[in-house]
Amino acid sequence: MRTVSGDASAVVLSADRLVVVENADRADYDTPRPAVILSFHELCLVQDDDEWFMGQLDGDGSVTCWASYGSDLAEAIRSL
């Protein structure tokens, strides 16, 4: 994770937090139960099923995601 991202401070966060995924086509949110949350400073990658979502770590510890980056973790990291 750190090698691919080039971020020596990247960490795995506890998945025991609120995660929301914005729905562009609707005015609501999905609330997945993530298996993994990776943090790269304020940006995060959240794994839900076989999909990686990109988002941001909010001040209260929750994560707001805005898009799916597919199932390939290395590609999602490169998209940061």
Side-chain angles (χ1 to χ4, degrees):
M1 167 177 84
R2 291 179 180 145
T3 301
V4 174
S5 70
D7 184 348
S9 65
V11 294
V12 177
L13 298 178
S14 166
D16 187 26
R17 66 187 64 234
L18 175 64
V19 175
V20 296
V21 177
E22 297 175 342
N23 291 312
D25 56 328
R26 301 189 318 241
D28 66 348
Y29 299 91
D30 290 328
T31 54
R33 309 276 299 164
V36 177
I37 301 174
L38 307 177
S39 176
F40 306 86
H41 298 287
E42 291 84 29
L43 291 179
C44 294
L45 290 172
V46 176
Q47 184 185 35
D48 181 39
D49 291 325
D50 290 330
E51 252 183 298
W52 288 96
F53 291 87
M54 188 171 298
Q56 69 182 29
L57 184 61
D58 298 323
D60 64 359
S62 63
V63 178
T64 302
C65 298
W66 53 79
S68 170
Y69 281 71
S71 61
D72 186 322
L73 175 58
E75 286 298 316
I77 289 173
R78 285 186 200 91
S79 297
L80 289 168

